[in-house]
Amino acid sequence: MFFILSGISAAIMTVIELVFFCRKRNVGAYIRIPVKNALTVILCSLAVQKHVMQYAHFIDTDAYGTSNFVKFFIMSLIVGLALQFVFALVNRYITFEEADKPKRKGALAVKILSVVLFALGLAAYYGTVWGKGSFGDVTGDQLIINLFSPTVGTERGVYIEAYEGPVFHTLLFTVLFAVFDFSKFKLVYHGLKKDVKILGDMAKRLICLAIAIAMLIGGVHYGWTEFSLKQVANAYLVDSDLLSDVYVAPEEVKISFPEQKRNLIHIYLESIENSFLSKDLGGFMDENLMPELSELAQEEGIVFSDTDNFFGGPMKGTGTQWSIASMVNQTTGLPMKAPGINNDYGSPGNFLPGAYTLTDLLTDEGYVQTVMFGADARFGGLRYFYETHGDVLVYDYEYAIEEGILPSDYKVWWGFEDDKLYELAKEEITRLYETGQPFNFTMETADTHKPDGYIGPNTPTPYENSYANAIAYSTEQVVEFIDWIKEQPFYENTTIVVIGDHLSMETNFFEFYGFTDDYERTQFNCILNPHPSVAATKKVTTNRTWCNWDYYPTILAAMGCKVEGNRLGVGTNLFSGDQTVFEEYGVEYTNIEFEKANDLYNEKILGGQIELDETQRRLNHAKWYEMDVPDEGGEEDAA
């Protein structure tokens, strides 16, 4: 069939050549031209079919349908026309000549406009291709927030991918387009009787403008579809009251701590998810990449699962699936939404100033607090978030260099690698404990970040895939770190929260192992050594439909706190058994409504219009603290 279709194309090209380009119509021409076109068009079309269209066979065609043949026929016509054009140029039946000077004003402006529109369309297209290929299902809210958040401290490999991908391709094709657009030529057909101008400067300008507009529309439409940019339109143009309806202001909730306040160690594991487990544990892998961590969770942890399996995790929610968003979710009980007012998350004191966070609460309750990153915490506004909320030491790469903890020329991966992170974390936790006050230590790992993860000198490499090796070593490291915590004098009174901050964005890994769309990926989560009041709770940990923001009241419950009403922000205490927002309203409906603009979020949370002032808030907590929580208790006392 492919031979027949390309033969028809060759016949069409023969007619075109005989009519327009044959100067001497004799017997030789009627033999030579069909043979030449048959050989060139058929062979070139089959070559393109095999190497460009990636059709496996052109002889055995049983596997192909009608659409395949239609595509091939169109392609063979294009190949034939291209060959005819080259033939005409070589034989000077068509020539490029110097164009006449434009007679109309504005010709230059049209050319510049065409190049700009073409470049914007290319940027939208290649930016989308790169974004989806590099980060997976990036949402509109994440895209908008990241565009206006600080990028200082970004790992070099991320920039390299961007420069070698969308930046390079956009620049390359824009320059080629501009060269054609600004070139001064006309295309002349030397016919049998007279010369005919088939492409002049005006026609070329109009063609370039049409191509540019088509590229812009196509690129923007592709980005709109793939990045779900409808979410961005919703954030600015459509209102919803759902968030306001379910929101409970944490500063107005009675939260009572146990008589002996419990320490908190909150570990965010970069991109660690349950899919890295073996299939028998609910993962996707043939071999468990996290044996030490899964064993620890099964033997000692409380895991909240979305299925009836032991391992499971939260559902994807609006404003949740990147690192800073996850931290915002788990400490404010809120999604991280695209700002509907003039607030870019990227400056001191300007990061959700109206939210009353976990670190605000713990500051009010006399905790000493440190948050530690191996990267520069200015990336994404992390530093501004924690410095805006409570008295928190931000211990990051920049801090370690400035304080002389690391040499000034030290730079590994995003700043310092996880081997160094755990080493410094042990020192900092010891310092916090020695203050004699209850402490909150938060940290985030980085070695499993894209691209490909960090493979250091201590990283074993039993797997063919680099990222798999990074996962295996990273999860082994955190278990060794927890084993160290268990040996410390403060462990008995310390709750440990371990959670993957978001789903992994390392798309190459999922392609390598052949992940399928029907597998539901979820973040790993585990709570170790919770307060006795919730330690025995098991009945409400499976078949839950929940999100990152439910961790805010859940963490407090794990520390032995009583949270009146079991809700903070839009998050629900999972130990209580009360319905989460997802369980009450459904995941899809909730996410769609949370995408939309909300006056409470824009005015109170982003705008900082807090109903209770600082003094009144502290007085409230001083009063509520008198309501002590028993240090011992069982399931019936679960917060």
Side-chain angles (χ1 to χ4, degrees), residues 111 114-120 122-123 126 166-183 208:
K111 291 182 178 181
S114 297
V115 172
V116 171
L117 296 181
F118 187 80
L120 291 174
L122 278 176
Y126 281 113
V167 174
F168 173 76
H169 289 108
T170 299
L171 182 61
L172 170 65
F173 291 110
T174 298
V175 169
L176 292 177
F177 179 81
V179 169
F180 176 76
D181 190 18
F182 281 88
S183 58
C208 287

Side-chain angles (χ1 to χ4, degrees), residues 234-240 243-244 247 334-343 345 350 352-355 594-610:
N234 282 341
Y236 293 98
L237 302 176
V238 184
D239 294 325
S240 171
L243 192 147
S244 301
Y247 176 78
L334 289 165
M336 188 172 175
K337 288 167 53 65
I341 60 173
N342 186 24
N343 185 311
Y345 294 102
N350 199 38
L352 301 177
F594 279 7
E595 290 169 4
K596 299 174 183 177
N598 179 266
D599 290 341
L600 181 143
Y601 197 95
N602 288 336
E603 295 173 8
K604 179 182 187 297
I605 306 303
L606 283 170
Q609 299 175 13
I610 304 175

Side-chain angles (χ1 to χ4, degrees), residues 137 275 279 282-284 306-307 315-316 510 513-522:
D137 293 327
S275 66
K279 288 183 173 67
F284 191 84
D306 60 307
T307 70
M315 299 290 98
K316 290 191 293 186
F510 299 106
Y513 285 104
F515 272 63
T516 55
D517 292 338
D518 59 348
Y519 178 81
E520 185 73 49
R521 294 165 52 201
T522 56

Side-chain angles (χ1 to χ4, degrees), residues 21 40 45 79 91 175 182 212 240 268 326 333 383 400 425 438 445 485 527 533 556-558 567 600 605 608:
F21 304 127
T40 55
S45 296
V79 168
N91 290 279
V175 169
F182 281 88
S240 171
Y268 293 93
S326 182
R383 173 178 294 279
T445 64
I485 295 173
I527 295 177
S533 62
L556 288 171
R567 178 167 288 175
L600 181 143
I605 306 303

Side-chain angles (χ1 to χ4, degrees), residues 157 218 271 347 361 433 472 504 638:
S271 303
S347 58
L361 172 63
Y433 166 65
S504 175

